[in-house]
Amino acid sequence: MTQTLSIENLNPTTARLTGFAILKIKVLCQDQYPGSAENPSMTIETHPQPVILYPESDGQPMTESDPTRDYLIYAVEVLRQFFQSRQQVYVSGNLFIYYREGDPKAVVSPDVFVIFGVSKRQRRSYKTWQEGRKLPSFILEITSRTTRKQDETEKPALYAQLGVQEYFQYDPTEDYLNPQLKGYRLRQGVYEAIAPATPAEQGGAIRSEVLGLDLRLVDPSFPVAAAAPGLMSVAKALRFFDPQTGEKLLNYAEAEQARQQAEQARQQAEQALSEMEQAQINAAARLLQRGLTPEEVAEILELPLATVLALGEP
């Protein structure tokens, strides 16, 4: 006789043996019932638990435009550097964020985001139930023709529902947003526009209270003549500024360029100083040849007396 038992009737040790596969365990009861005419065997049948997959990408090739990709990389780089001393700040972008366990469709992939209260380790995707239910406090979307509708309607509604404190939009080509840079802050579950801290002609800086930074529009780094022929105006570039110092946050390439420029300026200053000192020594030598005393030469040229005396030594 074969008897079927459900998984609920199993003890914990046996239940752990089942895993996700269907196991059939036939238990012969001859040893348990010696001498019995009927030795029934039991088949224990379990049903598999569904395996939920959380993809790390949508399988589609990335087709970002140059401006979209450049500003995405810039924002992630400078924000990581700005928060590099804080171990519990995670900055990333274009990464799947799953916000409901058991539902792979409950996912969003912001262009740039900052999450406070979680480690800055590398991740292939972000699952909120594995991260203390922490969600982004700041999100920036780089708007394009293909993402304009989502960035303007669908995503703000979702981000507000998730409790994202600040939501920013930037249009690198100035074709789809007016103004080119927008910022919103969550108030009682609804996004309210953040008024610029400075006039538009001064960059129209929008303060992010979450980051402690200003997002500002500046002239592009390339000359207007380098723009496409017939282009009437050039879109402003997005940059982050520290309001405490007024300094622009630099990405790796900009920081290296600034370092090289500083080093070049230092070398030029040293060369100019060396040339000036040599000119003074030459002048001192000529004055000594004209019969002036070392003390007089030192006073006239404001040189150390020892330096002038050394000129007279053989």
Side-chain angles (χ1 to χ4, degrees), residues 189-226:
V190 179
Y191 279 125
E192 295 181 356
I194 305 173
T198 60
E201 58 270 16
Q202 298 179 14
I206 301 179
R207 177 71 49 83
S208 168
E209 294 180 354
V210 168
L211 302 180
L213 295 171
D214 286 347
L215 283 75
R216 190 183 305 175
L217 297 178
V218 301
D219 291 330
S221 56
F222 58 86
V224 175

Side-chain angles (χ1 to χ4, degrees), residues 88-108:
Q88 294 297 306
V89 180
Y90 177 53
V91 179
S92 189
N94 214 17
L95 186 85
F96 276 0
I97 298 176
Y98 291 96
Y99 54 86
R100 187 181 304 122
E101 186 174 8
D103 184 2
K105 294 183 179 180
V107 62
V108 67

Side-chain angles (χ1 to χ4, degrees), residues 158-277:
L158 175 60
Y159 294 158
Q161 181 182 353
L162 295 176
V164 177
Q165 298 175 45
E166 290 182 344
Y167 173 55
F168 279 73
Q169 289 177 269
Y170 169 66
D171 176 7
T173 61
E174 204 177 9
D175 291 327
Y176 310 107
L177 291 183
N178 185 21
Q180 188 183 354
L181 174 65
K182 297 181 180 182
Y184 301 90
R185 189 168 293 125
L186 197 63
R187 301 291 189 194
Q188 298 181 346
V190 179
Y191 279 125
E192 295 181 356
I194 305 173
T198 60
E201 58 270 16
Q202 298 179 14
I206 301 179
R207 177 71 49 83
S208 168
E209 294 180 354
V210 168
L211 302 180
L213 295 171
D214 286 347
L215 283 75
R216 190 183 305 175
L217 297 178
V218 301
D219 291 330
S221 56
F222 58 86
V224 175
L231 192 63
M232 297 303 295
S233 63
V234 178
K236 296 286 187 177
L238 172 65
R239 287 294 181 266
F240 289 82
F241 284 78
D242 185 343
Q244 300 299 321
T245 63
E247 294 181 354
K248 179 176 66 174
L249 303 192
L250 305 178
N251 61 15
Y252 298 126
E254 291 171 332
E256 176 60 21
Q257 182 181 14
R259 187 196 66 79
Q260 292 178 0
Q261 291 175 344
E263 176 62 19
Q264 182 179 7
R266 184 190 65 80
Q267 293 177 357
Q268 291 175 346
E270 289 181 351
Q271 182 178 356
L273 178 61
S274 177
E275 292 174 352
M276 182 180 68
E277 290 176 347

Side-chain angles (χ1 to χ4, degrees), residues 54-59 94-96 98 123-125 127:
Y54 299 93
E56 296 170 358
S57 72
D58 55 11
N94 214 17
L95 186 85
F96 276 0
Y98 291 96
R123 296 166 173 83
R124 299 177 68 90
S125 65
K127 303 178 181 68

Side-chain angles (χ1 to χ4, degrees), residues 45-188:
E45 211 171 277
T46 65
H47 298 282
Q49 297 294 325
V51 179
I52 301 176
L53 300 178
Y54 299 93
E56 296 170 358
S57 72
D58 55 11
Q60 300 296 319
M62 292 183 63
T63 56
E64 307 286 4
S65 66
D66 286 343
T68 300
R69 181 182 61 254
D70 290 349
Y71 285 113
L72 189 157
I73 294 174
Y74 162 78
V76 171
E77 280 188 0
V78 298
L79 291 177
R80 281 180 175 173
Q81 291 183 77
F82 183 73
F83 291 112
Q84 63 182 343
S85 63
R86 297 174 59 178
Q87 296 302 313
Q88 294 297 306
V89 180
Y90 177 53
V91 179
S92 189
N94 214 17
L95 186 85
F96 276 0
I97 298 176
Y98 291 96
Y99 54 86
R100 187 181 304 122
E101 186 174 8
D103 184 2
K105 294 183 179 180
V107 62
V108 67
S109 179
D111 287 334
V112 180
F113 61 87
V114 180
I115 304 177
F116 295 91
V118 298
S119 66
K120 59 175 60 179
R121 62 182 177 83
Q122 295 291 306
R123 296 166 173 83
R124 299 177 68 90
S125 65
Y126 184 94
K127 303 178 181 68
T128 57
W129 58 92
Q130 296 178 354
E131 308 281 356
R133 304 292 174 180
K134 298 290 186 180
L135 282 158
S137 297
F138 171 91
I139 285 179
L140 168 66
E141 295 287 1
I142 312 297
T143 298
S144 64
R145 180 180 60 83
T146 57
T147 65
R148 178 181 181 180
K149 180 179 178 181
Q150 289 182 321
D151 293 348
E152 288 277 70
T153 58
E154 299 173 13
K155 288 183 179 180
L158 175 60
Y159 294 158
Q161 181 182 353
L162 295 176
V164 177
Q165 298 175 45
E166 290 182 344
Y167 173 55
F168 279 73
Q169 289 177 269
Y170 169 66
D171 176 7
T173 61
E174 204 177 9
D175 291 327
Y176 310 107
L177 291 183
N178 185 21
Q180 188 183 354
L181 174 65
K182 297 181 180 182
Y184 301 90
R185 189 168 293 125
L186 197 63
R187 301 291 189 194
Q188 298 181 346

